[in-house]
Structure formats: C-alpha cells, structure tokens
Amino acid sequence: MPELPEVETVVRDLARLVKGATFTGGSVARERNLLTPDAPTFISAITGRRILGTRRRAKWVVVELTGGLLLLAHLRMTGQLLVVPAGAAGDAYVRIALSLSDGREIRFRDVRAFGRIALVAERSDGEAGSSLDPASPPLLAGHGLEPLDPSFTAEVFGGLIAQRATRIKSLLLDQRYVVGLGNIYVDEALWRASIHPLTPAKKLRPEQVFDLHRAIIQVLDQAVAARGSSINDYTAPEGDGEMQEQLDVYQRTGEPCRRCGSTIRRLVVGGRGTHVCRTCQRPPKGIRGAGTARAVMGPRWSQGATPDTVGATRRERAAALRRAARQGVVA
DNA sequence: AGCGTTACCCGCACGC
DNA sequence: TGCGTGCGGGTAACGC
C-alpha cells in the first residue's frame, strides 16, 4: 500500500527516468480511473507536453508539465506507475498508458482500480487546481502537514492534536492533520513511541507527543531510504523497496516484539487491521485490552486471534512462514 | 460539531 | 469447483 515513502520513491524514480520526455499521446482503458478531465480532453491536453519535473504532495505523485499543467496520480491500494518500452507485454490491469516521443510509455497499472489519475492546471499559488482552469479551486485542499517538512515540529503537532478526543491511530490516518501516513507506518510509529493506538489523542502526555513526533519522522526517513515497503502489489519504476524487512509490528502478528519479546497482537481500530505489542504499548485507562473489548473492536474485527495463533488469518500465517523461511528460521 | 461506524469502489485469496 | 466474505485508502453518509 503506497504511503509517503513509497510515493516519494516513485516520484524520485520517475524524475530520473522521464524528466525532459515529451508525451505524444495515450490511451485510457478505464475511464473511471481518470478523475478529471474526460478521456478525449485528457489525451489531447497532454499530447505535446514535456515533463519538467516531479514532486510529491501527501500521497499524490505530481508530474509538472509545460504549459502550466500538472499530471497527478494517487496509487491508493495497488496502483503502479511503470516506464516501459512501447509495445512491452502488459495485462488487463493497465488502466491508462501515455506514450513518450523516445519510444517508451508511462503505464498506470492498478489491479484493484481504486487509484486515480488527474490532469489539472497549476494555480498561481503553485497548488494543483481541480480542472484545466488555473483559476479553479485547489484539488488537494484540506490536506494537513507534510511530516518531513521542517514546519512539522513537535509543538505544531502537539497543538493539532491537543483537543482531539479521537483515537491517536485514527487521527494519524486522517490526512487533514498530517499527510502521508497509512496503516503500515502508523502502526510502526506508535510502536516506536510505545503508544497504544486506542489512546485518545488529547490524553497523550507532552513527552509522548514528543516521542510520537520523532517516531513518525524517523520511521518515514528510514522507509524512504529503503525505497519503501514492497508488500503485495507495491513496486516503483526502478524496482522494489526493502523496508518490509525492517518493520517491527506490521504483519508480524504472533511473532515476538523486538523490544521486549512479547507476542505481537492484532486488533482492529477504525476498521483497520492494527498491530501492537501490548507490553510496550499499554492500553489506555478505561479501555480493556485488545481482543477482549468488542465494543472498541468494531463488528468487523477478525476472530481467531488467540494467544497461540501465529497470524490472525491464514494469509498472515502464510506471510509469517515465508518471512521465517527467508530469515533462515525454521518454522 | 465531533466522533464512530458503515457503505462504496474493486479484485483477490481465503475458507467453507 | 464454486460461492460468500474480509481486506483496505479515501470519501460520503448517517446516527448519536
């Protein structure tokens, strides 16, 4: 699942591969993946544009084009941006293909088809508009702080969350506060800071806010350096990442905590699979331990997460076995 | 208004 | 082999 480190890797790879290239046309196999404009307008508007550079905003890939246009891509769950020779073998999941004058093409491949491509005008303030009209309102309005920007300080972060009663995990997943975090890195940052995901944000002590702020930056920096986590479908134009090998809790249900040896547990917070060490991450007062309080688990929580279960689902068990085999541990 | 929850989108893999 | 279901990023809608 592409989060900030994965999107950042795609953006950097794309810059190396296609900066300076010019679009000569393209095809839209599935128009629902195109947020705006309609397919014929999209193809005609992008044809002849040259790629000036790439950047990232939140989890959006932003490709800067001549003529004041921005090509945006959100990968959601399974989206990929690939740069291949035109005519290279593809499959049914290539939703949009854009040809380049040098004989290559950029392909947006997306198995689950949740991802979105948009072509919009850059506004005078540098933000992406919501249409080809540079006077259109910002498309990405409402996004929060960039966690790797110097403006993301512990003080600002603390001020954002101080009044919020919502669970800290749900808040961190909400892109209106801090952008770029998804399920993987939220679980990882909370483990690093030894904070339970069900803790109400406003109940965090000042030192916990400080630790969490630092953990967010550190885990994202480390993941960017590792080119992100290649889990399921994620890959970048220049290849997979390696952060999945360095994750401490995500999809490690049933395995020992690397800090204290306790078994990593799985619960559901805000409808999302969540991974914790219940020894390092003490549940907040008034909320019973994970796996016992159905009221805080939600109806969709996966049954079968018993203490001696290795992985809450068969898929997780299989992943745990593969991981064990890869690391030379006899399962 | 804030917060929690569900439905939706979609394809896959799981599990019966 | 075949069918029902959980999963999940983001958004919308709903209820308390």
Side-chain angles (χ1 to χ4, degrees), chain A residues 169 183 187 196-198 249-255 262-278 281 289-293 296-307 309-317:
Chain A
K169 171 158 180 169
N183 214 30
D187 281 6
H196 196 281
L198 292 174
V249 285
Y250 187 77
Q251 288 193 352
R252 290 192 68 241
T253 307
E255 297 181 42
S262 296
T263 304
I264 301 299
R265 310 285 182 182
R266 182 180 186 278
L267 64 153
V268 172
V269 178
R272 303 290 181 229
T274 300
H275 309 78
V276 298
C277 169
R278 273 192 283 164
Q281 297 165 269
T292 59
V296 301
M297 307 293 287
R300 290 172 64 212
W301 77 291
S302 299
Q303 292 79 18
T306 58
T309 304
V310 180
T313 67
R314 185 163 161 172
R315 196 188 317 203
E316 285 184 355
R317 284 193 288 277

Side-chain angles (χ1 to χ4, degrees), chain A residues 91-291:
Chain A
D91 59 27
Y93 305 119
V94 177
R95 311 297 184 180
I96 293 172
L98 299 171
S99 50
L100 299 171
S101 61
D102 58 19
R104 296 177 299 166
E105 60 183 41
I106 298 176
R107 289 180 182 168
F108 176 66
R109 179 176 182 270
D110 188 5
V111 172
R112 305 278 278 281
F114 286 2
R116 292 293 181 264
I117 299 288
L119 184 67
V120 301
E122 184 171 19
R123 292 158 41 92
S124 57
D125 62 5
E127 295 289 311
S130 44
S131 76
L132 291 170
D133 179 359
S136 58
L139 181 69
L140 307 182
H143 278 69
L145 296 171
E146 284 286 346
L148 297 184
D149 190 272
S151 62
F152 180 65
T153 64
E155 290 71 26
V156 170
F157 179 55
L160 270 183
I161 72 176
Q163 306 299 111
R164 302 273 78 88
T166 191
R167 301 154 175 169
I168 187 62
K169 171 158 180 169
S170 299
L171 187 150
L172 293 177
L173 287 172
D174 189 333
Q175 304 293 300
R176 293 173 299 179
Y177 297 93
V178 180
V179 300
L181 291 166
N183 214 30
I184 297 173
Y185 299 112
V186 165
D187 281 6
E188 294 295 315
L190 288 170
W191 178 84
R192 288 185 183 213
S194 297
I195 294 169
H196 196 281
L198 292 174
T199 311
K202 65 183 182 183
K203 298 281 190 185
L204 293 176
R205 300 187 305 273
E207 64 268 28
Q208 288 182 302
V209 173
F210 183 86
D211 288 347
L212 180 56
H213 169 264
R214 183 175 53 190
I216 289 167
I217 293 172
Q218 286 184 348
V219 74
L220 292 177
D221 275 341
Q222 185 181 335
V224 168
R227 295 178 48 82
S229 300
S230 283
I231 297 173
N232 302 331
D233 296 80
Y234 167 72
T235 194
E238 293 188 306
D240 285 355
E242 297 177 347
M243 186 65 190
Q244 68 277 8
E245 310 293 342
Q246 300 170 56
L247 300 178
D248 290 309
V249 285
Y250 187 77
Q251 288 193 352
R252 290 192 68 241
T253 307
E255 297 181 42
C257 171
R258 297 197 214 279
R259 199 160 42 207
C260 77
S262 296
T263 304
I264 301 299
R265 310 285 182 182
R266 182 180 186 278
L267 64 153
V268 172
V269 178
R272 303 290 181 229
T274 300
H275 309 78
V276 298
C277 169
R278 273 192 283 164
T279 303
C280 294
Q281 297 165 269
R282 298 267 301 124
K285 257 192 297 187
I287 296 177
R288 291 162 63 203

Side-chain angles (χ1 to χ4, degrees), chain A residues 7 59-63 71-75 81 108 116-118:
Chain A
V7 177
K59 299 179 191 173
W60 286 87
V61 176
V62 181
V63 181
L71 177 65
L72 305 182
H74 198 300
L75 306 177
L81 286 171
F108 176 66
R116 292 293 181 264
I117 299 288

